[in-house]
Structures are given as structure tokens and as C-alpha cells.
Amino acid sequence: MTSMYFTEEHRLFRESLKDFLQKEVVPHIEDWEASGTIDRSIWVKFGEMGFLGLATPEAYGGMGVDLFYTVILLEELQKINSGGFAAAVWAHVYLAMTHLNKNANDSQKAKYLEPSVRGELIGCLGVTEPFGGSDVAAMRTTAIKKGDTYVVNGSKTFITNGVYGDYIILAAKTDPSAGNKGISLFIVDLKSKGVSANKLNKLGWRASDTAELAFDNVIVPAANLMGEEGKGFGFIMEAFSLERLIMGVNAHARAEYALEYVLKYMSERETFGRPINQYQALRHRIVDLHADMDMCKQYNYGVVYKMDKGEYVVREATISKLKSTKMADEVAYDCLQFLGGYGYIEDYPMARLLRDSRLGPIGGGTSEILREIIAKIVIDKKEYKAPRN
């Protein structure tokens, strides 16, 4: 089925991806959820199919396709009901690799980006700190230049792929006295001496590894600096729009999956001689949830279209995450209720989906932070402009 956003080529890609996920991923999800580890071999299989290089130019081994291929990847990952596995994939491709695609030099791309496209290296992004949260400018991690190296000290937290990944795109202050103008980005090998990882025990996203990382006099080659010193804050701010839009798309896809599942369940579950999808109170609540989901979905597609055309969509992407993640939590909560006692049983999908969904209004900037960003734009008339590299 074609639409104003999706072509026949998109449809074929979606079918290929669905088939791949059912054959190569779904049979292992329960084991990965239980162990909190994802088999490394699946990354190479993703790479062989080209799924890790959708946003990477062909010159570096990617496919260089439009952003709606990314939407398809995100939507189908949500519909296998493992927020953790989905997060591991998009944190690698759209957090770490976004910076490699946009900000790395040719040498860095050859060493890190191309193997990342192939699934041979797994990356993560290190911005959030234990004491800073969403206040990026307040970060304490430092990278002090010594000769042809930098010495890194500090810590990061809530880092997806931080335990089992191979490298981190690390934000650190090269000039601690310069505020946000003193922040730089580095590519740091996670196996470097002085790097230690503590795996965090999470409510949801259990298939993925989330780390608190410590950096104790870690030596990083000066060649691993991305761009120029002091450019990191602009790079981070620019990437936030994509991260937030991704979380908005994840949310509408998660909600759509929940509604599809619960509608099938309600058509088969009978009480007092009739399917429960015939009770007016339940039917009308389903309609409200479906309408909220579809409004977020269509809004998100519109924002994706703008971003794909090169627009700087800070306001729109922030609204996407704020409203879509709230909606998805409400859908998950009510869909669990529609299943009655079975909704509370881990053998059914709603319990995990509810736990996984709860991260939506927290990660990538809490809803409270997002409201303040939007307030500055709408009320204070603040303008956010794309950084000049």
C-alpha cells in the first residue's frame, strides 16, 4: 500500500524487514530479555541486510536512503515487543552513528563508521552524567590535552550499549572554564585502560545493556577528536531533534502494536456469551486510544518529512516526543486493563510493553524538560538555529 509518504519500494523494504525479524530475532527475544545480553551475531546479520546503514552514504558502505526507511525500521522493531532490543539497535545507528556520519573525518569513518555499518563494531553515545541529567552544559567529564593525546576523567550514566559496546561518542569538556563552548566530542574505545562499566538493573528495556561508565585517566588519541575543540555542544543539540523524533515514532508504533494485539484478543475473549469487543464502554475507549495514536502517527510522519527535507525541527521533534510518549503510556496502561488478569501475566505481551513504554517520557529529555524547551519557543520566542560546523 502506497501513501503520500511511503512508496512501493518502502513497502517491499518493510516486508523484507518483517520477514528478517521473524526469522532471525523473534525466536531469541525471550532469551535476550532474560539474560540482558544480545547475541553479537545478530548485529552482523543486520549489517549484511543493510539495516544498520540506512542513513549512511553509499561511499561508506551504507544505503543512503530517505528517512522514511528509518521510520519503517523503528516501527517494525517496536512490533516484536522488545523495547530493549529496539533500543540497542537505534542507539547504535541513530545516536552513535549519527555523529560518525555527520561529524567524523574520513579516517574516523574508515575506522569506526564502516565497521559499524557492517555490525562488526557497536557504538553508544555518552552525554548524560550522574549529576547533570538534561543539563548538558553542566557536565563534569573532562578531556585535557597532553601532547598528541587527551586524558579523560569523569563519568556517564544511562548509556545504552555501554556494557557490551565497542566505542562511545563521548562528550567532555576540553575547556572547563568556557561553559557549553568548552565541550568537545571524542570517539573512545570502551576497552581502553581506565574505562569501567557498571550494568544498571532496569524496570524495562531488559534485553539491552544500560551502563554507568567511569573514565579514570583514559588516554584518547588526539586523532579521535570529532571536528574542532569546543564544537561538541552544537553537535549534541543538533542530534537531539533526531533522537526525540525517533522516540516519538517508537511511541506511536508501540501503541499501534498494543492496539492491534488487544483488538484481536477482545474479538476472541467472551463474557456472558459475547465477545468483549461488543461492550460499548470498551469499544468507545478503544476508539479514543486509536484516535490519539493515529493523530501522533500522522504528526510524526509530517515531522519526518520536514527533517528529511533538511528543516531544523527542534519544536516539532520535541512536541513529537512529548505527546507521543504520553499517549503510548496511556495506550499501554489501558490495553493491559482490557486483558484483565492476563494483562498482568508475563506470558502475555502487555506487561513487558507497559514496562518498556515507561521509559518514553524519561529518556532523551524528560517530559518536564521538553515542556520548558517548547515554552521558550512558544512563549519567549526563542529561536533554535542549526549550528554552523
Side-chain angles (χ1 to χ4, degrees):
M1 177 179 173
T2 59
S3 73
M4 63 183 294
Y5 299 117
F6 297 99
T7 65
E8 177 66 11
E9 287 74 19
H10 287 124
R11 185 191 68 79
L12 293 172
F13 174 76
R14 189 184 293 271
E15 292 304 314
S16 173
L17 175 60
K18 280 184 179 179
D19 183 63
F20 174 84
L21 293 174
Q22 289 300 317
K23 289 180 178 178
E24 301 291 349
V25 177
V26 170
H28 307 290
I29 286 296
E30 297 306 320
D31 288 341
W32 296 343
E33 285 279 331
S35 67
T37 59
I38 296 167
D39 194 317
R40 287 287 298 217
S41 65
I42 195 61
W43 293 99
V44 175
K45 291 179 180 179
F46 262 81
E48 289 172 347
M49 293 295 291
F51 298 146
L52 303 180
L54 300 178
T56 299
E58 293 182 37
Y60 297 101
M63 297 176 67
V65 291
D66 66 65
L67 201 52
F68 282 97
Y69 283 89
T70 288
V71 170
I72 293 168
L73 176 65
L74 298 173
E75 288 180 336
E76 296 307 319
L77 282 172
Q78 288 299 312
K79 293 177 181 180
I80 62 173
N81 199 30
S82 175
F85 179 77
V89 173
W90 63 256
H92 169 57
V93 179
Y94 298 107
L95 297 188
M97 287 174 60
T98 288
H99 287 285
L100 292 177
N101 277 311
K102 191 167 183 63
N103 305 317
N105 59 37
D106 287 341
S107 176
Q108 292 166 344
K109 287 177 178 177
K111 185 174 180 180
Y112 293 98
L113 178 59
E114 293 181 25
S116 294
V117 170
R118 296 192 296 268
E120 297 165 0
L121 293 180
I122 307 304
C124 57
L125 176 66
V127 176
T128 303
E129 298 191 354
F131 301 101
S134 297
D135 186 359
V136 176
M139 71 173 57
R140 301 180 182 180
T141 299
T142 58
I144 306 304
K145 191 167 187 181
K146 291 191 176 180
D148 58 355
T149 67
Y150 288 85
V151 180
V152 176
N153 284 282
S155 60
K156 300 292 177 180
T157 195
F158 307 138
I159 308 303
T160 302
N161 296 338
V163 178
Y164 302 120
D166 300 296
Y167 66 88
I168 185 170
I169 306 300
L170 183 75
K173 285 191 172 178
T174 44
D175 183 355
S177 66
N180 61 29
K181 297 185 183 300
I183 295 173
S184 304
L185 285 186
F186 297 87
I187 309 168
V188 179
D189 293 321
L190 287 173
K191 295 179 176 60
S192 301
K193 183 180 179 181
V195 179
S196 58
N198 173 41
K199 189 174 184 179
L200 300 174
N201 186 17
K202 309 184 298 290
L203 172 69
W205 282 19
R206 299 196 66 86
S208 67
D209 60 291
T210 304
E212 184 170 86
L213 296 170
F215 301 87
D216 182 12
N217 289 320
V218 178
I219 306 299
V220 179
N224 282 28
L225 171 69
M226 301 186 78
E228 301 173 17
E229 280 194 12
K231 296 289 187 180
F233 187 77
F235 293 160
I236 294 165
M237 292 298 106
E238 185 175 20
F240 269 154
S241 290
L242 177 60
E243 179 180 358
R244 287 165 181 163
L245 181 54
I246 282 171
M247 295 193 74
V249 171
N250 284 338
H252 85 234
R254 184 165 61 249
E256 187 171 41
Y257 165 77
L259 288 166
E260 288 173 353
Y261 178 86
V262 84
L263 281 171
K264 183 175 185 299
Y265 175 86
M266 292 171 69
S267 71
E268 299 169 351
R269 172 70 166 156
E270 292 190 359
T271 62
F272 304 104
R274 59 175 174 163
I276 63 174
N277 67 2
Q278 297 303 305
Y279 289 91
Q280 186 183 70
L282 302 184
R283 291 164 65 87
H284 288 189
R285 183 56 183 150
I286 285 285
V287 168
D288 287 338
L289 295 173
H290 173 83
D292 291 342
M293 177 278 295
D294 199 46
M295 288 179 69
C296 287
K297 180 180 178 179
Q298 299 307 321
Y299 180 84
N300 292 343
Y301 285 173
V303 181
V304 170
Y305 181 83
K306 286 185 175 184
M307 180 176 278
D308 199 47
K309 297 301 181 185
E311 293 189 34
Y312 197 53
V313 291
V314 174
R315 180 182 66 87
E316 294 92 334
T318 307
I319 290 173
S320 166
K321 181 183 183 299
L322 175 68
K323 303 304 287 186
S324 297
T325 57
K326 182 176 186 293
M327 174 277 299
D329 270 7
E330 292 174 353
V331 169
Y333 185 93
D334 280 5
C335 284
L336 189 151
Q337 183 74 18
F338 291 145
L339 266 65
Y342 292 111
Y344 205 64
I345 303 301
E346 291 286 351
D347 293 339
Y348 289 73
M350 287 303 118
R352 179 189 301 161
L353 189 142
L354 180 70
R355 288 186 281 105
D356 286 353
S357 183
R358 192 61 189 86
L359 193 277
I362 298 172
T366 65
S367 294
E368 291 73 21
I369 291 292
L370 301 191
R371 288 189 182 95
E372 185 56 27
I373 292 171
I374 298 167
K376 288 178 179 178
I377 297 171
V378 174
I379 299 171
D380 302 334
K381 307 304 179 184
K382 179 178 176 62
E383 291 186 23
Y384 289 89
K385 297 180 180 180
R388 295 178 181 178
N389 297 337

